[in-house]
Amino acid sequence: MFAALTGLGLSTAAGLNAYIPLLVVGIVANFTDRVKLPDGYSWLSNWGVLAIIAVLLVAEMVLDKVPAVDSINDAIQTAVRPAAGGVVFSATNAAAELDHSTWMTEHPWAGWLLGILVALAVHALKATARPMINVGTGGVGAPVASTVEDVGSLGMSLIAVFLPVLVIVALLALALLAWWTIRRVRRYRAARRARRTSGSP
């Protein structure tokens, strides 16, 4: 169970920001025994690779806070975030050792698939909500929303690695936020259609 929770938490974080969970996993693997990278994933703890990821993270954090540019960035990240979700889900086996489960290790494709799907779902929610936030706040909300997402990605990554049982609580909170966001998006779109029908600007 812990293995699945760790993977779910990390892939959820990747849906918000592709690079934060990759950095967390790589750094933790270097300094602690909490994350033991399986064969084929040692590159993730290489400091050269982590430096490149850090540079990409800085670029992502800047671009994602600029209205309109953030939507272009989201379009590009449609491929990057799910891929990162697959990597972090399947690259982490520390929790698998805690519950003495080897199934995820023996079936790496399952981790990749679950990680991709979870990260893609979170990314889709983020990409759908951002234009509404930008229009509704005149662009002021973009940096605020982006900062909240970055903090959420970091928090979820740390919880997934060090306290995986709390991932359940975090995912429930995210599900409620998703439900609220979807409702807001639907109301926003309905209001726009109504204005167009009535001829209002």
Side-chain angles (χ1 to χ4, degrees):
M1 182 182 78
F2 286 113
L5 290 176
T6 296
L8 285 172
L10 288 170
S11 55
T12 298
L16 294 172
N17 188 305
Y19 309 110
I20 289 177
L22 290 172
L23 274 178
V24 168
V25 169
I27 292 173
V28 171
N30 273 312
F31 288 107
T32 75
D33 293 329
R34 190 66 185 179
V35 172
K36 295 180 181 179
L37 298 174
D39 294 339
Y41 290 93
S42 59
W43 58 270
L44 193 52
S45 62
N46 180 280
W47 287 110
V49 172
L50 291 176
I52 293 173
I53 294 175
V55 171
L56 292 173
L57 172 60
V58 172
E60 157 84 358
M61 293 177 71
V62 172
L63 293 174
D64 198 49
K65 291 173 176 58
V66 180
V69 175
D70 59 349
S71 295
I72 298 173
N73 180 58
D74 279 337
I76 296 171
Q77 295 294 323
T78 299
V80 178
R81 289 173 186 151
V87 169
V88 292
F89 197 117
S90 56
T92 306
N93 68 354
E97 295 181 5
L98 289 178
D99 62 8
H100 304 291
S101 172
T102 60
W103 193 89
M104 294 299 296
T105 303
E106 294 173 351
H107 300 82
W109 61 266
W112 270 95
L113 180 60
L114 286 172
I116 289 171
L117 292 176
V118 171
L120 181 60
V122 176
H123 164 73
L125 175 65
K126 166 185 162 66
T128 301
R130 185 58 70 83
M132 180 189 71
I133 293 173
N134 288 344
V135 173
T137 63
V140 177
V144 176
S146 178
T147 300
V148 170
E149 291 160 2
D150 292 340
V151 172
S153 180
L154 177 59
M156 180 65 88
S157 297
L158 294 174
I159 288 173
V161 172
F162 294 105
L163 293 168
V165 69
L166 293 183
V167 169
I168 298 174
V169 177
L171 289 177
L172 287 175
L174 184 62
L176 288 174
L177 178 62
W179 173 77
W180 179 83
T181 301
I182 290 171
R183 288 189 63 189
R184 295 282 295 181
V185 168
R186 286 177 176 174
R187 289 179 181 177
Y188 171 74
R189 288 177 175 173
R192 289 192 66 181
R193 284 195 296 268
R195 285 197 297 269
R196 289 173 181 173
T197 301
S198 63
S200 301

